[in-house]
Amino acid sequence: MQAPGRCCHWASLPGPSVREVASMYGTAVAVFLVILVAALQGSAPTESRLPYHIPLDPEGSLELSWNVSYAQEAIDFQLLVRRLEAGVLFGMSDRGKPENADLVVLWTDGDTAYFADAWSDQNGQIHLDPQQDYQLLQVQRTPEGLVLLFKRPFGTCDPKDYLIEDGTVHLVYGILEKPFQSLETINASGLRMGLQRVQLLKPDIPNPKLPSDTYTMEIHAPNIRIPSRETTYWCHVKELPKGFSRHHIIMYEPIVTEGNEALVHHMEVFQCPPEMDSVPYFSGPCDSETKPDNLNYCRRVLAAWALGAKAFYYPEEAGLAFGGPGSSRYLRLEVHYHNPLVKEGQHDSSGIRLYYTPTLRRFDAGIMELGLVYTPVMAIPPQETDFVLTGYCTDNCTQLALPPSGIHIFASQLHTHLAGRKVVTVLVRDGREWEIVNQDNHYSPHFQEIRMLKKIVSVHRGDVLITSCTYNTEDREQATVGGFGIMEEMCVNYVHYYPQTELELCKSAVDAGFLQEYFHLINRFNGGKEVCTCPQPSVPQQFASVPWNSFSRKVLQALYGFAPISMHCNKSWAIRFQGEWNLQPLPKVISSLGAPTPQCPPRRCPTPAGPTIISIVGDRG
Amino acid sequence: MQAPGRCCHWASLPGPSVREVASMYGTAVAVFLVILVAALQGSAPTESRLPYHIPLDPEGSLELSWNVSYAQEAIDFQLLVRRLEAGVLFGMSDRGKPENADLVVLWTDGDTAYFADAWSDQNGQIHLDPQQDYQLLQVQRTPEGLVLLFKRPFGTCDPKDYLIEDGTVHLVYGILEKPFQSLETINASGLRMGLQRVQLLKPDIPNPKLPSDTYTMEIHAPNIRIPSRETTYWCHVKELPKGFSRHHIIMYEPIVTEGNEALVHHMEVFQCPPEMDSVPYFSGPCDSETKPDNLNYCRRVLAAWALGAKAFYYPEEAGLAFGGPGSSRYLRLEVHYHNPLVKEGQHDSSGIRLYYTPTLRRFDAGIMELGLVYTPVMAIPPQETDFVLTGYCTDNCTQLALPPSGIHIFASQLHTHLAGRKVVTVLVRDGREWEIVNQDNHYSPHFQEIRMLKKIVSVHRGDVLITSCTYNTEDREQATVGGFGIMEEMCVNYVHYYPQTELELCKSAVDAGFLQEYFHLINRFNGGKEVCTCPQPSVPQQFASVPWNSFSRKVLQALYGFAPISMHCNKSWAIRFQGEWNLQPLPKVISSLGAPTPQCPPRRCPTPAGPTIISIVGDRG
């Protein structure tokens, strides 16, 4: 689809050395960046049909917009390339590495520009994918830059392709600075590559209307100067007006200072405990020595946002109560600035805007912790690639603590420390896995957001909730025990639900006595040498003395999968519900949900066996 | 390819009920069985190109011939159907069941005959395979019956297809007695189906020439009457002539009485121990009360044959010594008659013909046992689908017992009792898996034959040989311990090699003390209740008292994969080589061979998406 008379190559190359070529080519591109408005196939979605946006790189020179069609099980992607050099790579990989990635590549050999579905092998070497599953819809030159529009199904049944699932997706991107004779001459490991985490499959639920008596409150940094270091957690105290009565938060949204979109990584608003009657004002880095100590106790989540998320709406029958008696007047805003280019002098007033109403909704929303108790008895051996720990909320606890009509979970925030790689919570009813509450197969501790569930999950009395976390400790020499420290681990799912109940925490850990049997056995296998010679060794000391071999690893795993548990079925302030919670048997699961089988299209003849040639024609920029 | 004027349908149907149709159709087939000589595609291999033959059913009405092309990685099959009814099924499945089978189906809807690549699901329901990998080469009417010739690659990369591997293949066959409107209306579970075990991938090695001074000796049953019961092991004693000097057996072949091809399942010739100076003559069922007791000690294998095997040739540099001083003059022939139709009055003189020479070859061949010691310390929990036990021949033993130039394994016979499902022996050199000595992923204890290796495997001093057996105990309530009994288990690879050494047995078992630690732990987990209350419990008693749950199963597996072993590095008569053989560490394996990746053809457009229509034309039979 070449407009006659207006055609010029994207770049026309002279001859000599690669270096010269690259540099001249750069100039050529700058001068002749002339792009075709080419509706290649299918219909292009309009801007309004692409509701989600995220900057890919810290400079913001690559920007992704997308929509999700659950009917078609496909995503339309729009990639804006503000300053095109010799091409771009975009795609996905398990943990965001450029190797073993599923990619689309826009490149030129100097004469012709190409677009292709490709993949990188474990060495980063790029290969053409024999099955072309990214469908190019449009290439367009706009005043902002080059816009590529393409479509991809969630699953392609091509083993080289990434399966787009619920939860976190690690997007990878890269810049081609020079032409390549062919796709096979490109190695992603040697390029300027980066990653961006995002939830691609946003839930497709309509936002409830806000009532007319909705008020807003902004909690934001007071035009601070972002520190010139890679990572800053900024803490900012906000005081509610005196006599602020009980309200329901029914929605919140991010306020991101223009120009800082690529710097503001995530933000949370916490409420302090009600018994803290005064909190001094503070605005500064959370690790500052001048930060008031008691700010650390302000941990009740009111709002949480992360890059790529949009406004968070409570279901129309519920709201999060704040204000009034028994509710602290002090809030803490925490902003995570991610400044890998160490930009200086950047000012920021980002924060969160709460939408709240005095007309209380039918139900108070509540937050409940599922998963593992923070205790060292749950540990991960070192050098494991995918060790699973599991925490239980048992039928005894839900029977006792839930109202007769049950509760309804509408959102979930998964949480681990640095070794976490996957998290899933499954609802078990009558011994059968019933439905998944929330699952993230590409979980990252660096990307924790409150996610609306696609579908509200109702939990009945007597149901069981099983939360499993998968950890990677390949880079560690010692066992990683459960605990609060950053190098210790957690396995938690904070579920947001209504109506609020007294049950704040429904978690478990292996029985400590059975764990001692484990240490005894390892000790005997170890030729009678005590695993720890200390007179009263602590559990972390005992774990530190275990010789980690196939036997001690497998037996620990078998122990966690079999030994009785101690349940924490708790109200506020760690008060347990009345009942027998120690030496409880593991809940029995007699049938599993199994992995969803992707609907594969029937075998097709290879359509575009090669890359798509893009006729780079059009007006001069 | 219809010969005009001579065309008539395979069967032409009137109308009414299915029953009537089937019966009339049967008549029609008998009368009009008229088949086309149709060279459909490719070239048909001639009879001489199909060297292997096996009857499929006990009546011998279906007969399979085949050849193997290692260059093409494909097999030509020729199926002779002596009395065609309304069609046949033929194919393969993991263990010979009609469900989950990879099949070709020849069927008719009454008017037209079809041939198709199909598969049966877990309920036996037959489905057309979207990828047609059996290529029909020829359909031919012969005086003997209908002959179907078709070709299939070893591997098709179709997940519904069976992968043809080395070792045992379970062939399945079935008879269609009536027409079916379509393939999808056939259910294999309801048909007359059967199975036949065979080694399809016969090694492609030329047979060495026999020297001119080769003599033969037949050891066969003396025209006995095959008992009218399903299973008979017939024992027959043969005495070598007095003064029979030392010879080398250099080849042997089966002698199967004509007409009994489907009844004679396997045959072995054993030699008695040299110190047994007289063995009374006997010819009768091996379980007869009149059988001399000491016949049980005659266990040195001279020759072994099983259904589908051809002559066994020793490599030209080696022979199996028998005769002369130190060699018993008494041989025992064992014939396994498999008579599922309980035929009566069938006479038989089957046996084995030995080819031997007085001109001794350069090397004596030897037989060595690899795998597990026959001891109850190696046990399989009940209700396991694929529990693996592993036996080691360690570097210490091969270092001490092998000659400096090593040994050369040229054949192997795998052995387990009834729970065995897979067996593999891997050679490990310098800690790395080096090559597979022999592997059978579809091993059956009912089909044990000496198999020539495709390639001689040389074992150096310091090499390790690891033999793993996979067991299925789904139908058992108690643990299965190692031992000699039919309900106990073994894991053995009898390797045939040269030059003969003193090393007759290189096997291992877990250290008994470490197993006691396992019982102690299970005891403590069991709440202090002793796993066995007997004062001096035996290991089988201890295993019988273990409560089998996920923990006791996994810890036993972890124990076998970690605990030190006791080595049996033995000469004849259980005399150990000198050395420290107890509490030996498990050999370390730092790299694995990994599964061979099948070379998949590139994705093709679906060729014959439907079945092939066979024009059933030709002369009347």
Side-chain angles (χ1 to χ4, degrees):
Chain A
M1 216 174 263
Q2 233 162 286
R6 299 197 300 170
C7 169
C8 25
H9 289 302
W10 183 2
S12 63
L13 281 181
S17 81
V18 173
R19 190 174 211 136
E20 277 175 333
V21 166
S23 124
M24 296 176 78
Y25 175 79
T27 319
V29 167
V31 178
F32 297 110
L33 189 60
V34 283
I35 304 294
L36 155 90
V37 180
L40 289 173
Q41 34 183 335
S43 66
T46 57
E47 174 64 25
S48 67
R49 279 188 50 220
L50 297 169
Y52 311 111
H53 310 277
I54 193 168
L56 290 182
D57 60 323
E59 291 98 337
S61 69
L62 291 173
E63 194 179 302
L64 184 75
S65 306
W66 76 98
N67 72 12
V68 181
S69 164
Y70 285 97
Q72 290 180 49
E73 301 208 328
I75 298 184
D76 290 315
F77 289 104
Q78 180 187 282
L79 186 63
L80 167 65
V81 186
R82 287 194 207 278
R83 288 175 296 282
L84 180 64
E85 299 187 38
V88 285
L89 284 77
F90 167 79
M92 301 153 227
S93 72
D94 178 29
R95 311 287 318 161
K97 293 214 173 133
E99 295 82 19
N100 295 315
D102 178 10
L103 297 166
V104 288
V105 185
L106 173 74
W107 85 101
T108 174
D109 57 12
D111 279 327
T112 311
Y114 303 93
F115 175 93
D117 184 356
W119 56 279
S120 63
D121 63 23
Q122 56 187 0
N123 303 316
Q125 176 61 53
I126 293 188
H127 305 276
L128 182 70
D129 200 326
Q131 188 178 320
Q132 295 283 303
D133 293 296
Y134 286 89
Q135 184 191 2
L136 185 61
L137 300 175
Q138 201 179 63
V139 186
Q140 193 171 4
R141 169 93 169 106
T142 73
E144 284 182 282
L146 180 71
V147 173
L148 287 169
L149 199 66
F150 47 92
K151 191 187 199 85
R152 216 204 76 158
F154 297 169
T156 65
C157 297
D158 180 345
K160 294 289 181 222
D161 282 355
Y162 182 91
L163 173 66
I164 301 175
E165 295 173 292
D166 289 337
T168 309
V169 175
H170 289 72
L171 302 175
V172 296
Y173 62 87
I175 309 290
L176 294 181
E177 296 170 324
K178 62 183 180 70
F180 285 90
Q181 274 315 304
S182 75
L183 196 61
E184 306 281 330
T185 59
I186 309 177
N187 188 308
S189 306
L191 299 175
R192 272 164 51 203
M193 299 286 291
L195 79 94
Q196 183 64 287
R197 297 182 186 93
V198 71
Q199 180 194 25
L200 279 182
L201 298 190
K202 302 284 184 191
D204 186 22
I205 33 184
N207 294 328
K209 285 218 178 76
L210 299 183
S212 54
D213 60 345
T214 301
Y215 301 91
T216 65
M217 175 189 296
E218 292 191 359
I219 302 149
H220 60 84
N223 194 27
I224 64 146
R225 215 167 117 160
I226 301 176
S228 54
R229 56 183 186 184
E230 182 171 350
T231 302
T232 300
Y233 281 82
W234 193 274
C235 278
H236 174 79
V237 171
K238 162 95 178 180
E239 190 178 344
L240 294 180
K242 276 203 176 115
F244 187 78
S245 66
R246 186 172 173 87
H247 287 76
H248 268 170
I249 298 172
I250 54 177
M251 193 269 259
Y252 59 84
E253 64 184 9
I255 320 162
V256 178
T257 301
E258 216 182 309
N260 293 349
E261 291 81 359
L263 292 170
V264 179
H265 184 271
H266 80 248
M267 302 185 283
E268 285 190 85
V269 177
F270 299 101
Q271 192 176 27
C272 298
E275 66 279 17
M276 265 167 68
D277 18 276
S278 105
V279 176
Y281 175 76
F282 175 75
S283 199
C286 298
D287 57 0
S288 158
E289 289 184 359
T290 63
K291 188 189 72 164
D293 277 347
N294 59 3
L295 264 191
N296 290 337
Y297 295 100
C298 306
R299 299 220 62 90
R300 183 193 174 216
V301 177
L302 287 193
W305 171 90
L307 207 63
K310 296 178 59 99
F312 183 91
Y313 285 81
Y314 279 83
E316 52 194 345
E317 57 274 38
L320 189 66
F322 81 137
S327 173
S328 169
R329 284 174 47 236
Y330 296 96
L331 310 183
R332 174 168 69 93
L333 170 72
E334 189 178 291
V335 184
H336 174 192
Y337 295 106
H338 182 59
N339 185 6
L341 304 176
V342 196
K343 286 190 190 170
E344 287 202 37
Q346 204 80 7
H347 283 258
D348 188 71
S349 301
S350 298
I352 283 180
R353 187 179 295 118
L354 301 177
Y355 289 70
Y356 59 99
T357 175
T359 313
L360 298 183
R361 288 179 166 184
R362 185 167 165 212
F363 298 115
D364 278 344
I367 298 172
M368 188 188 301
E369 274 189 46
L370 304 175
L372 283 179
V373 181
Y374 310 138
T375 154
V377 299
M378 300 303 298
I380 306 136
Q383 261 104 45
E384 294 280 347
T385 56
D386 48 1
F387 199 90
V388 179
L389 293 183
T390 300
Y392 301 88
C393 174
T394 60
D395 52 347
N396 282 349
C397 181
T398 59
Q399 187 68 52
L400 201 68
L402 297 193
S405 59
I407 58 166
H408 310 285
I409 303 177
F410 59 89
S412 153
Q413 186 182 17
L414 307 175
H415 178 70
T416 74
H417 288 173
L418 298 176
R421 292 294 178 273
K422 295 182 187 188
V423 185
V424 60
T425 297
V426 180
L427 172 74
V428 173
R429 183 167 296 162
D430 301 327
R432 291 167 198 281
E433 287 190 2
W434 194 261
E435 65 181 305
I436 286 171
V437 177
N438 193 9
Q439 177 164 32
D440 195 340
N441 287 336
H442 307 275
Y443 173 85
S444 167
H446 306 294
F447 188 55
Q448 306 185 10
E449 49 179 1
I450 300 181
R451 290 182 182 149
M452 292 299 287
L453 304 188
K454 281 184 185 165
K455 180 184 152 295
I456 286 182
V457 174
S458 296
V459 184
H460 300 178
R461 284 181 165 183
D463 284 352
V464 175
L465 291 157
I466 303 182
T467 302
S468 295
C469 295
T470 306
Y471 299 95
N472 182 305
T473 57
E474 275 177 295
D475 58 348
R476 302 192 180 184
E477 296 301 321
Q478 291 282 327
T480 299
V481 296
F484 289 90
I486 187 67
M487 293 306 286
E488 296 172 331
E489 267 306 334
M490 292 191 174
C491 177
V492 183
N493 183 354
Y494 297 96
V495 291
H496 295 243
Y497 71 96
Y498 65 87
Q500 192 173 22
T501 71
E502 280 195 298
L503 184 63
E504 286 207 348
L505 197 146
C506 190
K507 310 203 293 185
S508 73
V510 71
D511 174 83
F514 274 76
L515 181 66
Q516 288 306 317
E517 295 297 341
Y518 169 76
F519 290 128
H520 281 303
L521 173 77
I522 298 305
N523 177 24
R524 292 176 78 138
F525 256 69
N526 216 9
K529 190 170 139 272
E530 282 294 329
V531 293
C532 183
T533 53
C534 326
Q536 294 275 332
S538 68
V539 167
Q541 283 170 328
Q542 286 175 302
F543 271 118
S545 307
V546 170
W548 292 109
N549 51 49
S550 71
F551 185 73
S552 54
R553 289 167 195 274
K554 284 184 188 164
V555 176
L556 183 64
Q557 231 166 356
L559 178 93
Y560 287 149
F562 177 75
I565 51 175
S566 166
M567 268 303 299
H568 287 210
C569 179
N570 293 6
K571 308 178 190 185
S572 292
W573 321 119
I575 298 164
R576 284 191 178 189
F577 278 85
Q578 269 219 308
E580 186 46 69
W581 302 114
N582 291 324
L583 284 168
Q584 297 295 295
L586 285 189
K588 281 205 175 56
V589 180
I590 55 174
S591 78
S592 307
L593 282 172
T597 44
Q599 289 298 314
C600 298
R603 279 193 181 218
R604 300 176 306 177
C605 303
T607 45
T612 305
I613 293 176
I614 304 178
S615 309
I616 304 294
V617 297
D619 290 325
R620 292 197 177 197
Chain B
M1 216 175 262
Q2 235 163 285
R6 298 198 299 168
C7 168
C8 25
H9 290 304
W10 184 2
S12 64
L13 281 182
S17 81
V18 174
R19 194 178 209 133
E20 276 174 335
V21 167
S23 124
M24 296 173 78
Y25 175 79
T27 320
V29 167
V31 178
F32 296 111
L33 189 61
V34 283
I35 305 294
L36 154 91
V37 180
L40 290 172
Q41 33 183 336
S43 65
T46 56
E47 173 63 25
S48 68
R49 280 187 48 221
L50 297 169
Y52 311 112
H53 310 279
I54 193 167
L56 290 182
D57 60 322
E59 291 97 338
S61 69
L62 291 173
E63 196 178 300
L64 184 76
S65 305
W66 76 99
N67 73 12
V68 181
S69 164
Y70 285 98
Q72 292 181 46
E73 302 209 326
I75 298 185
D76 289 315
F77 289 104
Q78 180 187 283
L79 186 64
L80 167 64
V81 187
R82 285 193 209 279
R83 287 175 298 280
L84 180 64
E85 300 187 37
V88 286
L89 283 78
F90 167 78
M92 302 155 229
S93 73
D94 177 28
R95 313 285 318 160
K97 291 215 173 133
E99 295 82 20
N100 295 315
D102 178 9
L103 297 166
V104 286
V105 185
L106 173 74
W107 85 101
T108 174
D109 57 12
D111 281 326
T112 313
Y114 303 94
F115 175 94
D117 184 354
W119 56 279
S120 63
D121 63 23
Q122 55 186 1
N123 302 315
Q125 177 59 54
I126 293 188
H127 305 275
L128 182 71
D129 201 326
Q131 189 178 319
Q132 295 283 301
D133 293 295
Y134 287 89
Q135 185 192 0
L136 185 61
L137 300 175
Q138 200 179 63
V139 185
Q140 193 171 4
R141 169 94 170 103
T142 73
E144 284 183 283
L146 180 71
V147 173
L148 287 169
L149 199 68
F150 47 92
K151 190 187 199 87
R152 215 202 79 157
F154 298 169
T156 65
C157 298
D158 180 345
K160 294 288 181 222
D161 283 354
Y162 181 92
L163 173 66
I164 301 175
E165 295 174 294
D166 288 338
T168 309
V169 175
H170 288 72
L171 302 176
V172 296
Y173 62 86
I175 309 290
L176 294 181
E177 295 169 325
K178 62 183 179 71
F180 284 90
Q181 274 314 306
S182 76
L183 195 62
E184 305 281 329
T185 60
I186 309 177
N187 188 308
S189 306
L191 299 175
R192 272 163 51 202
M193 299 284 293
L195 78 93
Q196 184 63 287
R197 298 183 185 90
V198 70
Q199 180 194 24
L200 279 182
L201 299 189
K202 303 284 185 191
D204 187 22
I205 33 184
N207 294 327
K209 284 219 180 75
L210 300 183
S212 54
D213 59 346
T214 301
Y215 301 91
T216 65
M217 176 189 297
E218 293 190 358
I219 301 149
H220 61 83
N223 193 27
I224 65 145
R225 214 165 114 163
I226 301 176
S228 54
R229 55 182 186 185
E230 182 169 351
T231 302
T232 300
Y233 280 83
W234 193 274
C235 276
H236 173 81
V237 171
K238 162 94 177 182
E239 190 179 343
L240 295 180
K242 279 205 175 114
F244 186 79
S245 66
R246 187 171 173 90
H247 288 78
H248 267 168
I249 298 171
I250 53 175
M251 193 270 260
Y252 58 83
E253 64 185 9
I255 320 162
V256 178
T257 302
E258 216 182 308
N260 293 348
E261 290 82 358
L263 292 171
V264 179
H265 184 272
H266 80 248
M267 303 185 282
E268 286 190 84
V269 177
F270 299 101
Q271 191 175 30
C272 298
E275 65 281 17
M276 265 166 68
D277 18 279
S278 105
V279 176
Y281 174 75
F282 175 77
S283 198
C286 297
D287 57 0
S288 157
E289 289 185 358
T290 63
K291 189 190 71 166
D293 278 348
N294 59 4
L295 264 192
N296 291 336
Y297 296 100
C298 306
R299 300 220 59 91
R300 185 195 173 214
V301 177
L302 287 193
W305 171 90
L307 206 62
K310 295 176 58 99
F312 183 92
Y313 285 80
Y314 277 83
E316 52 194 345
E317 58 273 40
L320 189 67
F322 80 138
S327 173
S328 169
R329 282 174 48 237
Y330 297 95
L331 309 183
R332 173 169 69 94
L333 169 71
E334 189 178 290
V335 184
H336 174 193
Y337 295 105
H338 181 60
N339 185 6
L341 304 176
V342 197
K343 285 188 190 172
E344 287 202 37
Q346 204 80 7
H347 282 259
D348 187 70
S349 300
S350 297
I352 283 180
R353 187 179 293 118
L354 302 177
Y355 290 71
Y356 60 98
T357 174
T359 314
L360 297 183
R361 289 180 165 182
R362 185 166 165 214
F363 298 116
D364 277 344
I367 298 172
M368 187 189 300
E369 273 187 46
L370 305 174
L372 284 178
V373 181
Y374 310 138
T375 153
V377 298
M378 301 303 297
I380 307 136
Q383 261 104 45
E384 295 280 349
T385 55
D386 49 0
F387 198 90
V388 179
L389 293 183
T390 300
Y392 301 88
C393 174
T394 60
D395 52 345
N396 281 350
C397 181
T398 60
Q399 188 67 51
L400 201 68
L402 298 193
S405 60
I407 57 167
H408 309 285
I409 303 177
F410 58 89
S412 153
Q413 185 182 17
L414 307 175
H415 179 69
T416 74
H417 287 172
L418 299 176
R421 293 293 179 272
K422 296 182 185 187
V423 185
V424 60
T425 297
V426 179
L427 172 74
V428 172
R429 183 167 295 161
D430 302 326
R432 292 167 199 280
E433 286 191 0
W434 194 261
E435 67 182 304
I436 287 170
V437 177
N438 194 8
Q439 177 164 32
D440 195 341
N441 287 335
H442 307 276
Y443 173 84
S444 167
H446 307 295
F447 188 56
Q448 305 186 12
E449 50 178 0
I450 300 181
R451 289 182 182 149
M452 291 300 286
L453 304 187
K454 282 184 185 166
K455 179 183 154 295
I456 286 181
V457 174
S458 296
V459 185
H460 300 177
R461 282 180 165 181
D463 284 351
V464 175
L465 291 157
I466 302 182
T467 302
S468 295
C469 295
T470 305
Y471 300 95
N472 182 304
T473 57
E474 275 177 294
D475 57 350
R476 302 192 179 184
E477 296 302 319
Q478 291 281 328
T480 300
V481 297
F484 288 91
I486 187 67
M487 293 305 288
E488 297 173 333
E489 268 304 336
M490 293 190 172
C491 177
V492 183
N493 184 355
Y494 298 96
V495 291
H496 296 243
Y497 71 96
Y498 65 86
Q500 191 173 23
T501 71
E502 280 194 297
L503 183 63
E504 288 208 347
L505 197 146
C506 190
K507 308 203 294 185
S508 73
V510 70
D511 175 82
F514 274 77
L515 181 66
Q516 288 306 317
E517 295 296 343
Y518 169 76
F519 291 128
H520 281 302
L521 173 77
I522 297 303
N523 178 23
R524 292 176 78 138
F525 256 68
N526 216 9
K529 190 170 139 272
E530 282 294 328
V531 293
C532 183
T533 53
C534 327
Q536 292 277 332
S538 69
V539 167
Q541 283 170 327
Q542 287 176 300
F543 271 119
S545 307
V546 170
W548 292 109
N549 51 48
S550 72
F551 185 74
S552 54
R553 289 167 195 275
K554 285 185 187 162
V555 176
L556 183 65
Q557 231 165 356
L559 176 95
Y560 288 149
F562 177 75
I565 51 176
S566 166
M567 268 303 298
H568 287 211
C569 180
N570 293 6
K571 309 179 189 183
S572 292
W573 320 119
I575 297 162
R576 285 189 178 189
F577 278 86
Q578 271 219 308
E580 186 47 69
W581 302 115
N582 291 324
L583 284 168
Q584 296 296 295
L586 285 190
K588 282 208 174 55
V589 180
I590 54 173
S591 77
S592 307
L593 282 172
T597 43
Q599 290 298 313
C600 298
R603 281 196 179 216
R604 300 177 306 178
C605 305
T607 44
T612 305
I613 293 176
I614 305 178
S615 310
I616 303 294
V617 297
D619 290 321
R620 292 198 175 195

